[in-house]
Amino acid sequence: MMRVLATSAPLDTKALTQLLLLVAEGLHGSQSLRKKVLELRSKYAEHKLLGSARAVSGMLALLEPAEDALAFFKDQLVGVIIGSKLPQQVPQFQSIEPEPVPERTPAREAAMPKPTESAAPGSKNAPLSLDDDTFESSIRMTTEARKRALEYSSSADEEEEEKKKPKTAPSEDTEDFEMYTSTASTTASNTSTSKSSGKRRMDNTSKVHEEEINPTYSIPTHWEDLYYKDVEAINIHTPGAMERINALRLAGTPFLIEGHKNWMKFTNGWLRPNGTLDTSAFLRGIHDVKVPVIEKNYEEFNPIKTHLPLGYYVKNYWEKGKPDYYMHQWQFPLTPKAAKLLCYKCEELPVLGDNLLLYWLDAVRGDNPLQYFFMGQRSTTSRMHQDPGGLDITIAPILGTKRVTMLHRDAAKLDSVHETVNFHDVDLNKIPLLAFIPAWRVDVKPGQILYMPEGTFHGCENITACLSYHRFHVDHVNLPGFLASFMAQDSPSINHAEILWNSTHDVMAALEENYHANGQEIDNTISTLRKLDSLRALRHATRVLSLESALPTEDSWDWNKLLEDIDHLLVRIDARALHNAKKGATIQNAHAALSATAAHSANSELVAASKSKKASASSHWDNLNLKIGDIIGVQVFEKRNRAQVLKIALNQELVQIHYVDWGSIYDEFLPVSSLFQRTRGNKRIAYKKAPKVHETVLARWGSNGQLYNAIVLKVIRTNACLVHYLKYEKDWDQWILPGHIFKKYETADDQ
């Protein structure tokens, strides 16, 4: 007997796609079956090889050995048809590994039942047999389908055969939706595919198919969506992985990293055996920490709307499957309570260079301060955007699946691209050049790390309930982009100069210590050689800065002197570089050149360096020559603003603080007199001397002197000025360091 389910309503293909993914996520204990479900989903949702009816029939056949998964799929399928919502939580099915399919032999081929005329292979009423060659022929794409799925050209003979085939029937989704399944048990065979889950794999045995070499559909027409490329997956243990990764990073191409262990050791104990989140373990010690959340329909330029205690968010939104709020970009290293539990528990990727962010902030020295958690239910999203700062980004789901859509950083070159382009509904008739910009889309799952080179436009969507870990990275590969961001001053929340200054000194100190500990030579360990590579790159970056006449950095930082120190150290420890030195660049000449540089000799090359040094001898602060009432340009809140100087302070002690309930973009410097100690009751005790780094304080903000919880990031002594922003209320008046002043505007008195 044959079961028939029919409806006149068109099937919601997006809901069916999500149902297929839910089933796959629930099959963690049956990896081979899970893989087949994902392959079927890929053919249905991404490559358009299957219609809805055949996708459903295929699922029913695949899930025959897994009774609980089959029952779940049938129940939810009815809900999809009638328009009900899918469950938020990922189901958990019993582990069932199907028996391997025996190889096909001529004898077995002859014994296979022949199809009847009433149910011809490939016909709509035929039961789906994934063992049969008719399945492969039935899903062979027509010319039009090949165009939609970005397929590639075949030989002329194959095209001729394609023309001779009978035309396919109209799409099953537009007709009455009918699904026919046989009650007989069908065992699914492995179906090979060159594409799976929007990614390509790099290994030693992979073969490049001819159709992948000769693409015929690479540019979309103006009535189509962008064409999304596959994202390459690279196992870090594959020979040549580092070289391939560096090439992709330099090209601005995203990729997936696999095979790395201990990337997120802080998650130990967070996941139950069935793969769900143990919220008690997750919240232990941090349940009362306030985290930033955004509403489902948030404003583009001011997304962080409110902060909620983490425990409250988990209990009222995560556990109840409510997508109203999305925990967005919680920078946990800046929360002392969370930093103690979660920092220093991430092993760096061996295929990347030394991360210079590890040397930045004293509060988490030795770990990356730019680490974040994102947490939200299915359908929660972050819109397409480009992060400034010149930093690479990694995304690693802890549980659930996150879909990431990306555009190459060249999209930023298009005029007013940030203001006029709706990346979620691209109109190629208005912005035709976007058709030439590479685009990618990939579903990232636990165990994978998506790596996006600096400047990549990206938007994320949680396909299932998802908790993910994100972090920034800068090393010798993306240092040029980092320097460009520094010169453009496009990200005030990233102190480029401090990162370069601190990392250079720390790397030099580590190499110096290693040099003396090993008898006047450095060892050949990977860690040491990575630091040496970093110092070589930092030397060139420092040279770039030394040539600038004025830099937005601390007055006490002498980049010419730092350059000299780097060169002296490299001459002593970098034996390989000296061995490969160009003709005439011997160690004696190197020492002589360094001495000549220090003495400013009359050598023509050194004269130019001397002129550069004289030009920069007068500091950025001295060049500004500020007076009360001056109008200056200030880089703050990720934009440039005009401000009026209210006060000027020389050699003043200032404390950089981070407001607990606000993003790092609002970090600022305050005088000690604006800080108060936290005491029981409502009594306020003013600080008489600067608090210590990591200390929790009350910071006075605004014209009414309202107090906010804050954390001390650093204490410095510097020149500064108090300014009032011309377009903001008086509440936003704040102290500005020389490094954030990019221009002094002329007034009538100056002319």
Side-chain angles (χ1 to χ4, degrees):
M1 182 178 293
M2 189 170 293
R3 297 190 298 269
V4 179
L5 175 63
T7 174
S8 60
L11 185 69
D12 185 347
T13 56
K14 184 177 181 181
L16 179 57
T17 300
Q18 292 172 341
L19 175 57
L20 298 181
L21 185 59
L22 269 177
V23 174
E25 292 296 322
L27 291 169
H28 284 291
S30 308
Q31 288 300 318
S32 61
L33 184 56
R34 179 175 181 270
K35 180 180 178 182
K36 293 171 186 175
V37 172
L38 288 174
E39 287 178 353
L40 187 146
R41 175 186 172 276
S42 178
K43 291 179 180 180
Y44 169 66
E46 297 173 12
H47 305 308
K48 313 300 181 187
L49 295 170
L50 296 175
S52 297
R54 297 197 66 79
V56 171
S57 299
M59 282 293 291
L60 293 172
L62 282 174
L63 298 178
E64 282 286 350
E67 295 181 0
D68 52 349
L70 181 61
F72 174 84
F73 178 73
K74 289 179 179 178
D75 291 342
Q76 298 304 323
L77 180 61
V78 174
V80 169
I81 295 172
I82 64 177
S84 300
K85 291 185 178 180
L86 291 171
Q88 300 289 338
Q89 297 296 331
V90 176
Q92 300 300 320
F93 306 128
Q94 294 181 356
S95 175
I96 295 181
E97 290 293 348
E99 293 294 326
V101 179
E103 294 185 5
R104 298 183 62 173
T105 62
R108 183 172 179 266
E109 188 81 23
M112 291 181 65
K114 303 297 182 182
T116 62
E117 293 182 2
S118 60
S123 69
K124 194 171 184 179
N125 293 339
L128 181 65
S129 174
L130 297 181
D131 275 336
D132 203 328
D133 285 339
T134 57
F135 174 70
E136 290 298 330
S137 64
S138 68
I139 63 173
R140 189 174 296 123
M141 300 174 62
T142 63
T143 303
E144 182 179 356
R146 183 184 292 112
K147 178 178 179 180
R148 291 198 310 269
L150 295 181
E151 277 296 294
Y152 302 101
S153 64
S154 57
S155 66
D157 293 339
E158 290 174 333
E159 290 182 358
E160 190 65 24
E161 290 181 8
E162 192 76 16
K163 294 178 181 178
K164 295 178 181 179
K165 292 180 183 178
K167 294 183 179 180
T168 57
S171 171
E172 295 163 283
D173 296 335
T174 59
E175 297 182 346
D176 290 351
F177 183 64
E178 299 179 352
M179 290 164 287
Y180 301 86
T181 60
S182 172
T183 55
S185 174
T186 306
T187 305
S189 65
N190 291 324
T191 55
S192 62
T193 176
S194 62
K195 299 177 182 179
S196 175
S197 301
K199 64 185 180 185
R200 292 186 292 111
R201 296 190 174 277
M202 171 191 173
D203 56 45
N204 294 331
T205 60
S206 62
K207 294 182 179 180
V208 180
H209 297 287
E210 182 180 355
E211 59 268 23
E212 292 182 346
I213 300 176
N214 303 301
T216 56
Y217 289 100
S218 58
I219 302 296
T221 55
H222 63 278
W223 57 76
E224 292 181 286
D225 289 329
L226 295 176
Y227 285 172
Y228 296 110
K229 299 176 180 291
D230 292 341
V231 175
E232 183 174 347
I234 302 175
N235 190 297
I236 62 171
H237 304 294
T238 302
M242 179 179 287
E243 290 76 11
R244 179 60 181 160
I245 284 173
N246 286 345
L248 292 173
R249 292 178 63 192
L250 289 170
T253 302
F255 52 91
L256 287 169
I257 296 176
E258 297 178 343
H260 182 54
K261 305 295 183 182
N262 298 325
W263 181 241
M264 302 177 291
K265 290 190 288 187
F266 48 75
T267 63
N268 291 342
W270 285 8
L271 301 181
R272 299 188 182 98
N274 61 7
T276 59
L277 181 67
D278 185 339
T279 54
S280 297
F282 172 61
L283 294 173
R284 190 172 295 122
I286 55 175
H287 66 281
D288 56 345
V289 172
K290 287 189 175 181
V291 297
V293 296
I294 58 175
E295 298 174 356
K296 193 166 185 179
N297 298 313
Y298 63 86
E299 294 179 12
E300 194 78 35
F301 297 104
N302 187 25
I304 304 300
K305 281 296 186 182
T306 188
H307 288 71
L308 297 174
L310 180 58
Y312 180 88
Y313 170 78
V314 170
K315 298 296 182 184
N316 291 276
Y317 293 95
W318 174 266
E319 291 185 342
K320 294 181 180 180
K322 296 169 64 176
D324 306 58
Y325 281 113
Y326 178 25
M327 189 179 83
H328 188 273
Q329 203 167 339
W330 173 34
Q331 192 176 1
F332 63 84
L334 296 188
T335 305
K337 183 180 291 188
K340 292 178 181 178
L341 296 173
L342 304 176
C343 286
Y344 307 102
K345 294 183 179 180
C346 178
E347 290 188 8
E348 296 293 318
L349 284 158
V351 289
L352 303 179
D354 204 22
N355 192 350
L356 304 184
L357 296 175
L358 303 182
Y359 310 106
W360 180 15
L361 289 183
D362 292 336
V364 284
R365 202 62 164 265
D367 200 3
N368 187 346
L370 302 181
Q371 302 178 72
Y372 307 88
F373 285 136
F374 289 71
M375 186 180 195
Q377 288 297 323
R378 181 170 62 89
S379 79
T380 47
T381 62
S382 59
R383 297 173 185 171
M384 182 75 76
H385 63 284
Q386 183 189 46
D387 288 314
L391 301 170
D392 292 355
I393 304 173
T394 61
I395 298 177
I398 298 170
L399 64 84
T401 300
K402 185 180 292 288
R403 174 168 295 169
V404 185
T405 303
M406 295 161 284
L407 276 175
H408 193 273
R409 57 193 176 204
D410 282 351
K413 298 177 182 178
L414 304 182
D415 293 338
S416 304
V417 68
H418 303 282
E419 300 174 3
T420 62
V421 178
N422 178 3
F423 287 108
H424 301 279
D425 186 17
V426 173
D427 188 343
L428 293 179
N429 212 32
K430 292 182 179 179
I431 315 290
L433 286 178
L434 271 180
F436 301 95
I437 302 297
W440 302 269
R441 177 173 287 165
V442 65
D443 291 349
V444 192
K445 302 176 178 61
Q448 298 175 324
I449 303 171
L450 175 64
Y451 196 100
M452 295 186 292
E454 55 95 7
T456 302
F457 287 84
H458 59 284
C460 301
E461 177 186 2
N462 290 329
I463 302 301
T464 66
C466 183
L467 170 63
S468 57
Y469 168 61
H470 305 216
R471 59 187 280 150
F472 287 100
H473 182 90
V474 58
D475 61 17
H476 63 282
V477 175
N478 62 321
L479 196 54
F482 184 77
L483 278 173
S485 173
F486 176 29
M487 296 305 182
Q489 288 289 286
D490 61 9
S491 181
S493 60
I494 306 295
N495 193 329
H496 298 77
E498 191 171 59
I499 293 170
L500 292 170
W501 185 267
N502 288 353
S503 59
T504 302
H505 281 88
D506 283 9
V507 169
M508 289 174 63
L511 290 173
E512 186 88 46
E513 181 180 353
N514 184 277
Y515 177 76
H516 290 294
N518 289 278
Q520 307 297 303
E521 64 178 10
I522 60 172
D523 60 41
N524 290 322
T525 62
I526 296 297
S527 174
T528 301
L529 295 179
R530 280 159 61 110
K531 284 183 170 56
L532 181 58
D533 219 28
S534 296
L535 186 60
R536 291 170 177 165
L538 287 166
R539 191 273 174 197
H540 297 301
T542 305
R543 176 58 176 163
V544 170
L545 300 182
S546 71
L547 294 174
E548 294 293 320
S549 59
L551 282 172
T553 67
E554 301 295 332
D555 292 340
S556 59
W557 294 354
D558 188 337
W559 295 95
N560 284 284
K561 179 63 169 63
L562 180 60
L563 178 65
E564 183 179 323
D565 292 342
I566 297 173
D567 283 343
H568 274 295
L569 181 60
L570 286 175
V571 164
R572 286 189 291 124
I573 69 173
D574 200 349
R576 179 178 177 181
L578 291 174
H579 179 73
N580 296 330
K582 294 184 294 185
K583 185 177 180 180
T586 63
I587 185 169
Q588 291 82 6
N589 288 342
H591 278 300
L594 290 171
S595 300
T597 302
H600 305 292
S601 71
N603 179 278
S604 59
E605 181 180 352
L606 296 176
V607 167
S610 176
K611 290 181 179 179
S612 173
K613 187 163 186 175
K614 287 180 180 179
S616 61
S618 179
S619 71
H620 180 51
W621 176 264
D622 292 336
N623 287 337
L624 289 170
N625 190 25
L626 295 179
K627 301 184 296 294
I628 294 176
D630 282 347
I631 304 299
I632 58 176
V634 177
Q635 183 84 18
V636 71
F637 308 136
E638 296 188 352
K639 61 178 67 175
R640 295 188 169 189
N641 299 279
R642 289 199 179 201
Q644 185 176 31
V645 177
L646 302 179
K647 294 181 182 179
I648 296 176
L650 302 178
N651 196 30
Q652 177 169 324
E653 190 173 46
L654 293 176
V655 179
Q656 186 184 26
I657 56 100
H658 167 73
Y659 293 103
V660 173
D661 293 336
W662 297 91
S664 57
I665 188 178
Y666 298 108
D667 295 354
E668 65 174 326
F669 286 90
L670 295 175
V672 176
S673 59
S674 295
L675 303 178
F676 298 86
Q677 297 182 33
R678 297 170 57 90
T679 60
R680 294 181 179 178
N682 296 323
K683 189 176 181 181
R684 299 185 304 180
I685 301 177
Y687 278 93
K688 295 182 179 180
K689 61 179 182 179
K692 297 180 180 179
V693 173
H694 292 304
E695 193 168 340
T696 304
V697 300
L698 294 172
R700 185 169 58 199
W701 184 89
S703 56
N704 294 328
Q706 189 171 351
L707 296 180
Y708 290 86
N709 292 323
I711 301 162
V712 175
L713 299 181
K714 70 169 65 172
V715 180
I716 64 171
R717 186 170 290 278
T718 182
N719 300 324
C721 59
L722 181 67
V723 302
H724 168 70
Y725 298 107
L726 302 184
K727 293 184 178 181
Y728 289 85
E729 300 293 334
K730 186 179 179 182
D731 287 340
W732 292 95
D733 294 356
Q734 65 177 174
W735 287 92
I736 294 297
L737 273 58
H740 288 283
I741 303 173
F742 66 88
K743 185 175 183 179
K744 175 184 175 183
Y745 295 98
E746 290 188 358
T747 62
D749 295 337
D750 297 326
Q751 296 176 350

